[in-house]
Amino acid sequence: MTLSKGQEKGITMAKSRMQDDFYDAVNGDWIEQATIPADRPVTGGFYDLVEGIEKEERRVVKAIEEGKEQAPDALTEFVKMHQLTKDWTSRAASQKQAVRDFLAPLFALDSFEALQNQEAALIKAGYTTILAPTVSPDSKNTSRNELWLGNPDLILPDTTSYKDAKQKDALLATWAAMVRELLVHLDFDAESERLVEQAMRFDQLLADRQSSSEELSDSWKNYHPMTLEKAEEALPEVTLKKTLASLLGEEPDKVIIYDGAFFKSAHEVYTKTNFEAIKGWLIVENLLDVAGLLGNQTRVIAGQYSRALSGTKEAANPEKSAFRQARAFFSQAVGKWYGEKYFGPKAKKDVETMVQELIQVYERRFDQIDWLSDETRAKAKVKLHALGVKVGYPEKLPEYLAKRKVDEQASLLENVQRFSKETVAEHFSKWGKEPDKERWGMPADMVNAYYSPDFNHIVFPAAILQAPFYDLKQSPSQNFGGIGTVIAHEITHAFDTNGARFDEKGNLKEWWTKADFDHFEKKTEAVIQAFDGVDSAGAKVNGHLTVSENVADLGGVSAALAATKAGDDANIKAFFENFATLWRQKAEPEYLALLATIDVHAPAKLRTNVTVKNFDDFAKYFDVKEGDGMYLAPEKRIQIW
């Protein structure tokens, strides 16, 4: 462990008073002593749990491979995949020919027309192309999956990253140097300069027209349905009908555009005159997609840019990387196994009881909110009662994942290409059908939780249901300050600045009275102002980008606090202190600056301090007075739900 300068001199570092900086007072000692691992840009509560879960899963896999444990059926194919990913010698020996074979269809393209003729076949084979079609529920009819068109990814984190010339040039130089080194390393010396220049030229065309993360954070604005004929007219040089019909088996009646601003000018990008830039971009992007699946040195080279972007000092070691690469293709299977093995029925029942308690808290809250009309209040309750809840792990895997088999005689890249084809085929087969609401959006061994606006349900994977979030050994007050705030946070997402625009079936629909919604927006504007422009490691927090998550944090703490106070032996201090513990972290400055640009969540310290100072009980139990750093005048305290 690295000692601080104060520790080296034997000086006791004084942490902040609870009344001045609550986050630092609770977490300061830990932050002072914590060391950020060299292969990660951040450490802390969430990340320590992730590391612990991975360590245990790796132990089990090693024991299976050494014959010390019997492989459960759920892990059989995953272990076979791990045999391929950890064979770095074979991966390196075959990589140059393998990558040439993989990129051959892209190098063979000799015109924009050729790309149009081949685009559907490339998508089916798992390649990244200039179109970004996907199948997802129709936002105004969530009982049916429709075809959406998105945007290609950018090199830099966000369109705003291109506006600061100094930052832009530095980041692009790092990216370009990495790609050149990668191309030379794989014997594409002659093409390296040209391909990098072409890829960067096409990327700039995209960046000049795409919407920012902030603009896209208003999800209700990202719904632009149109007939296929209209969409094809908007892209006169793109054979959209032909490509989409090939992917779906027939022409769709309509497509839904995600980024409306980009689509209006996409005809300036997807043209014959830009073909050379497009071709270079296709080759580079697809090379980067598979570089990590080649030799170890290739993997390390291909990660240079992302490490520079986040401040990560070194690549993960080959053993960790091999495990993560294998797990990526069997994450749902591994997660289900983890949930079944480590998450007990007693904890599941206890958490489900907490969920119902918090839903009841919300129902009572709706009755107590004086600015809601009876009409809006009744519809809010309908949505609340329709809320689906999933805890622990899924009952079954999607069929195509349950049937996934590893060909031990084929190479890693060959297996991955086959998996990609199977995944793409299954994905587009969902078009026109009713969405599968039983499918989980994340594996059960992921330390996270989510709310689905499409399905109006909340999901809590087994991995997050452990200390400090939840533990049967913790007091109810601690558990409500931990997982209780997370549960109520996800419930609040049904009524945040995005969720409030969707009804109980997940459909984009105005169900509020106009007066009520105007009042709601005034309250959420106050949340925007509370966070906007606040400094985080030299970067400024974007209040609009983070508003939905901040509203959910406020609602989560409010509801969980009410549930705590309704129980026996409520300990309000323990509630708030465990809430602060959830968000403790230590991160590299580059990582914090990156998150300020693209993350819809506020920085960890602000998620604690700005949130808790809005609660009367916090001021009361921690004796916060005017003049203290954590003081907020009662009339300025924000309460929405």
Side-chain angles (χ1 to χ4, degrees):
M1 182 178 293
T2 302
L3 298 180
S4 70
K5 292 180 179 178
Q7 289 171 317
E8 290 172 343
K9 296 177 181 178
I11 299 172
T12 301
M13 304 296 287
K15 62 182 178 182
S16 301
R17 296 168 64 241
M18 294 276 192
Q19 298 92 333
D20 288 325
D21 185 336
F22 186 62
Y23 176 86
D24 186 64
V26 174
N27 300 310
D29 287 343
W30 176 87
I31 292 171
E32 182 67 25
Q33 297 176 39
T35 300
I36 302 171
D39 62 355
R40 292 207 319 249
V42 60
T43 191
F46 275 86
Y47 313 97
D48 291 345
L49 292 181
V50 170
E51 193 79 8
I53 291 168
E54 182 182 283
K55 185 177 180 179
E56 172 61 10
E57 290 176 345
R58 287 176 62 199
R59 182 199 67 77
V60 171
V61 170
K62 183 178 180 181
I64 291 171
E65 291 175 338
E66 292 177 348
K68 296 177 181 178
E69 290 188 22
Q70 181 71 32
D73 291 343
L75 297 184
T76 301
E77 296 303 315
F78 166 63
V79 172
K80 290 180 184 177
M81 188 68 170
H82 189 239
Q83 297 300 309
L84 296 177
T85 58
K86 72 178 186 178
D87 186 359
W88 294 100
T89 301
S90 296
R91 290 169 61 170
S94 62
Q95 65 177 359
K96 291 181 180 179
Q97 187 58 52
V99 79
R100 281 201 174 274
D101 292 344
F102 175 73
L103 295 176
L106 304 178
F107 275 107
L109 296 172
D110 58 7
S111 66
F112 191 75
E113 291 80 5
L115 171 60
Q116 293 309 297
N117 287 331
Q118 293 296 315
E119 188 148 22
L122 290 170
I123 293 172
K124 289 179 181 179
Y127 289 87
T128 296
T129 73
I130 59 174
L131 289 181
T134 187
V135 172
S136 191
D138 186 327
S139 293
K140 288 196 173 182
N141 178 18
T142 53
S143 63
R144 175 185 165 93
N145 283 320
E146 286 291 358
L147 183 62
W148 293 65
L149 287 182
N151 301 349
D153 291 333
L154 300 176
I155 295 172
L156 301 190
D158 188 57
T159 57
T160 56
S161 307
Y162 293 78
K163 300 187 187 307
D164 182 330
K166 185 177 179 180
Q167 179 192 54
K168 169 190 169 184
D169 291 345
L171 290 177
L172 286 178
T174 300
W175 181 88
M178 175 194 72
V179 176
R180 288 191 200 98
E181 182 179 356
L182 184 62
L183 288 164
V184 171
H185 176 67
L186 294 170
D187 290 348
F188 292 101
D189 311 49
E191 299 100 331
S192 62
E193 288 295 335
R194 173 176 56 82
L195 290 173
V196 168
E197 185 278 327
Q198 289 170 340
M200 291 174 64
R201 183 151 51 92
F202 184 67
D203 177 74
Q204 188 65 59
L205 291 172
L206 297 172
D208 288 341
R209 293 162 178 81
Q210 289 191 11
S211 299
S212 68
S213 296
E214 178 187 358
E215 291 164 331
L216 295 173
S217 68
D218 293 332
S219 62
W220 73 93
K221 295 180 180 178
N222 307 328
Y223 179 76
H224 309 281
M226 63 179 66
T227 64
L228 180 57
E229 286 72 19
K230 286 289 185 183
E232 189 163 61
E233 287 174 13
L235 299 175
E237 296 187 50
V238 176
T239 57
L240 198 59
K241 283 185 180 180
K242 176 183 175 182
T243 298
L244 298 185
S246 178
L247 292 175
L248 302 176
E250 60 180 282
E251 289 183 7
D253 294 328
K254 69 176 181 181
V255 296
I256 304 172
I257 308 304
Y258 179 72
D259 185 348
F262 172 73
F263 194 75
K264 286 179 181 178
S265 57
H267 66 278
E268 302 168 353
V269 179
Y270 300 154
T271 67
K272 297 174 184 177
T273 55
N274 291 329
F275 172 68
E276 291 302 324
I278 290 171
K279 180 177 177 178
W281 179 88
L282 286 171
I283 292 170
V284 170
E285 284 297 305
N286 283 281
L287 170 60
L288 292 173
D289 285 345
V290 301
L293 301 171
L294 304 174
N296 186 55
Q297 187 180 355
T298 308
R299 169 188 72 92
V300 174
I301 293 171
Q304 289 175 353
Y305 174 65
S306 63
R307 292 195 296 274
L309 202 58
S310 65
T312 304
K313 293 181 174 61
E314 63 184 45
N317 66 43
E319 291 74 25
K320 281 186 179 180
S321 180
F323 174 85
R324 292 168 185 172
Q325 288 179 342
R327 184 192 170 280
F329 298 97
F330 290 90
S331 60
Q332 290 285 359
V334 174
K336 187 173 184 294
W337 164 81
Y338 171 88
E340 291 172 340
K341 183 175 177 63
Y342 296 97
F343 185 58
K346 185 176 180 181
K348 179 180 175 68
K349 183 178 179 181
D350 192 40
V351 173
E352 288 174 338
T353 298
M354 290 179 69
V355 173
Q356 293 307 315
E357 284 183 46
L358 289 163
I359 288 174
Q360 290 169 17
V361 167
Y362 247 95
E363 183 161 17
R364 292 192 293 270
R365 283 293 173 89
F366 289 146
D367 287 331
Q368 296 163 359
I369 294 173
D370 57 10
W371 53 269
L372 276 181
S373 67
D374 289 342
E375 181 181 348
T376 302
R377 182 180 291 112
K379 290 180 179 178
K381 287 184 178 182
V382 168
K383 184 170 187 180
L384 184 67
H385 292 160
L387 188 70
V389 180
K390 291 180 171 63
V391 176
Y393 51 88
E395 292 299 317
K396 62 179 182 178
L397 297 176
E399 186 176 3
Y400 83 103
L401 291 178
K403 291 182 176 180
R404 177 167 284 177
K405 300 294 181 184
V406 175
D407 182 350
E408 297 172 277
Q409 305 307 311
S411 70
L412 172 61
L413 186 55
E414 287 170 336
N415 273 281
V416 169
Q417 286 182 272
R418 179 166 52 80
F419 294 161
S420 296
K421 291 176 183 177
E422 293 168 355
T423 299
V424 170
E426 194 274 341
H427 180 77
F428 286 109
S429 74
K430 297 184 295 185
W431 172 76
K433 298 177 182 177
E434 183 176 353
D436 180 4
K437 295 184 179 181
E438 297 306 310
R439 187 175 294 196
W440 283 46
M442 57 179 59
D445 62 345
M446 180 176 285
V447 184
N448 212 330
Y450 70 94
Y451 168 74
S452 168
D454 289 332
F455 301 148
N456 188 34
H457 67 209
I458 49 180
V459 180
F460 304 99
I464 200 172
L465 303 173
Q466 55 183 310
F469 294 91
Y470 171 81
D471 196 313
L472 286 168
K473 297 177 183 178
Q474 289 182 168
S475 70
S477 296
Q478 288 175 306
N479 279 337
F480 273 116
I483 197 63
T485 62
V486 174
I487 292 169
H489 171 106
E490 300 306 337
I491 294 172
T492 306
H493 272 315
F495 306 98
D496 68 15
T497 52
N498 283 314
R501 297 174 186 269
F502 296 82
D503 68 13
E504 73 279 5
K505 295 181 179 178
N507 293 321
L508 184 58
K509 182 179 179 182
E510 294 181 7
W511 53 270
W512 297 62
T513 66
K514 185 179 184 307
D516 287 351
F517 203 81
D518 288 346
H519 198 116
F520 173 71
E521 288 198 303
K522 287 180 181 178
K523 285 181 168 291
T524 58
E525 179 60 33
V527 178
I528 292 174
Q529 295 307 316
F531 286 85
D532 196 51
V534 179
D535 181 80
S536 175
K540 299 297 182 184
V541 176
N542 185 324
H544 183 249
L545 174 64
T546 59
V547 62
S548 285
E549 293 296 336
N550 294 332
V551 168
D553 279 343
L554 284 165
V557 172
S558 181
L561 179 60
T564 301
K565 292 166 69 175
D568 297 330
D569 301 321
N571 186 329
I572 306 305
K573 282 191 173 183
F575 170 88
F576 280 111
E577 287 172 5
N578 203 38
F579 174 71
T581 301
L582 301 185
W583 307 114
R584 71 182 186 190
Q585 71 171 32
K586 190 170 187 176
E588 300 292 353
E590 298 92 335
Y591 181 73
L592 293 175
L594 172 64
L595 293 186
T597 302
I598 61 173
D599 194 2
V600 295
H601 303 86
K605 182 170 184 174
L606 302 184
R607 292 189 75 171
T608 301
N609 284 355
V610 178
T611 299
V612 301
K613 66 172 58 175
N614 285 282
F615 292 89
D616 297 344
D617 281 318
F618 175 78
K620 173 184 175 182
Y621 283 91
F622 289 96
D623 194 29
V624 180
K625 307 292 187 190
E626 188 170 0
D628 293 337
M630 293 299 300
Y631 179 78
L632 185 65
E635 67 273 12
K636 292 184 179 180
R637 294 172 190 168
I638 307 166
Q639 290 294 307
I640 301 178
W641 299 118

